[in-house]
Amino acid sequence: MLRITYISEESAPFSVSALLELLQQCHLNNPRQGLTGLLIYGNGTFLQSIEGEDEAVKALVEKISKDQRHRGFRMLRKEMATERLYGDWSMRFERLTEESLRKVPGLREFAIKKFNRDYLDTHVEVADLLLETHRSAGQHPALEKEARDKQITELRRALQACEQRQQMAALLIESVMETGKQSRLDDSQLRLCKAMLNSMRKTGKARARSK
């Protein structure tokens, strides 16, 4: 199994709608390819780690490196792995802010302006710390101790999935609010609203069946 971590910058300011659409594509396409990972976005910068079968990872990274929506693609790490670090997520997402940075041990004085391609390219240890911190943030310590218990493991996954749905819903609401200022919704936002509603309805039905 292969894991690749890269850094890049947006070519033009990413709207909330564009960010949400990117994540929807990840959640739709990655499971088909057996890919998992973590994406951190902030200050116009993308830090992403992708893992899976060698050819699938290479193909996606090649596609990403040519995507015109960002520039300055730089690979930080390319490593073989025996197990997944992000196995529960088709693509875990975290939006970096000054507030969230203050919660990272060892980075409380790290200003978000340093979260950029040039700095992280020469301070890979900071990128590693950010990835590890946000990966661990989705793992509840009390649950990790009993990870072999199937019910506890499923509960952990449900909590992580709920957290990510909240992230997506927040982005969608923010996108709709931005567009509301212009008194119109475009087709892409309507598609995203429909996809989000379908996801929530499926979750609701699954919960009802489990009761």
Side-chain angles (χ1 to χ4, degrees):
M1 185 171 64
L2 179 64
R3 183 181 304 114
I4 289 179
T5 301
Y6 76 88
I7 191 84
S8 66
E9 295 177 337
E10 58 189 14
S11 299
F14 247 62
S15 66
V16 178
S17 295
L19 185 58
L20 185 57
E21 190 166 5
L22 173 64
L23 293 172
Q24 289 282 20
Q25 291 173 355
C26 291
H27 293 315
L28 177 64
N29 298 327
N30 287 359
R32 299 173 182 172
Q33 303 297 324
L35 297 168
T36 53
L38 167 62
L39 170 63
I40 299 176
Y41 171 79
N43 193 37
T45 301
F46 298 93
L47 171 62
Q48 186 171 29
S49 188
I50 304 167
E51 61 189 9
E53 294 303 315
D54 297 14
E55 293 307 314
V57 173
K58 290 177 182 177
L60 179 57
V61 170
E62 176 69 15
K63 181 179 179 181
I64 290 173
S65 68
K66 296 178 180 178
D67 193 323
Q68 296 300 306
R69 290 176 294 183
H70 66 170
R71 63 188 179 187
F73 177 94
R74 294 183 186 177
M75 191 181 300
L76 297 182
R77 290 196 185 281
K78 180 178 182 181
E79 54 194 339
M80 302 305 297
T82 57
E83 60 182 4
R84 293 179 186 266
L85 292 179
Y86 314 104
D88 292 333
W89 308 301
S90 55
M91 187 51 62
R92 180 174 174 80
F93 170 72
E94 296 292 342
R95 184 156 56 163
L96 207 61
T97 64
E98 293 284 7
E99 181 180 358
S100 65
L101 277 172
R102 286 195 291 271
K103 297 177 182 178
V104 181
L107 288 184
R108 291 189 175 89
E109 304 302 322
F110 180 85
I112 196 168
K113 64 182 180 181
K114 286 187 177 180
F115 186 72
N116 61 66
R117 182 193 59 189
D118 292 334
Y119 184 89
L120 293 177
D121 190 37
T122 56
H123 296 79
V124 180
E125 71 281 358
V126 174
D128 289 341
L129 180 57
L130 286 167
L131 289 167
E132 171 60 24
T133 299
H134 287 89
R135 179 178 74 88
S136 300
Q139 300 172 342
H140 194 290
L143 302 184
E144 283 297 300
K145 294 179 181 178
E146 301 182 48
R148 293 184 181 181
D149 184 296
K150 184 177 179 180
Q151 290 183 332
I152 296 296
T153 301
E154 289 302 317
L155 176 58
R156 184 191 69 189
R157 290 175 178 170
L159 289 171
Q160 293 169 350
C162 181
E163 179 185 284
Q164 286 297 288
R165 280 194 295 273
Q166 288 178 335
Q167 288 258 18
M168 298 285 282
L171 286 172
L172 181 56
I173 292 170
E174 189 175 336
S175 171
V176 171
M177 289 175 64
E178 283 185 354
T179 308
K181 296 175 182 178
Q182 303 173 8
S183 301
R184 68 178 183 83
L185 288 176
D186 59 34
D187 291 341
S188 64
Q189 287 173 313
L190 291 174
R191 287 196 301 271
L192 291 170
C193 287
K194 183 177 180 180
M196 183 64 68
L197 284 173
N198 287 338
S199 175
M200 290 179 172
R201 285 168 180 162
K202 288 179 181 177
T203 301
K205 290 178 181 178
R207 288 177 178 170
R209 287 196 298 269
S210 66
K211 292 181 179 179

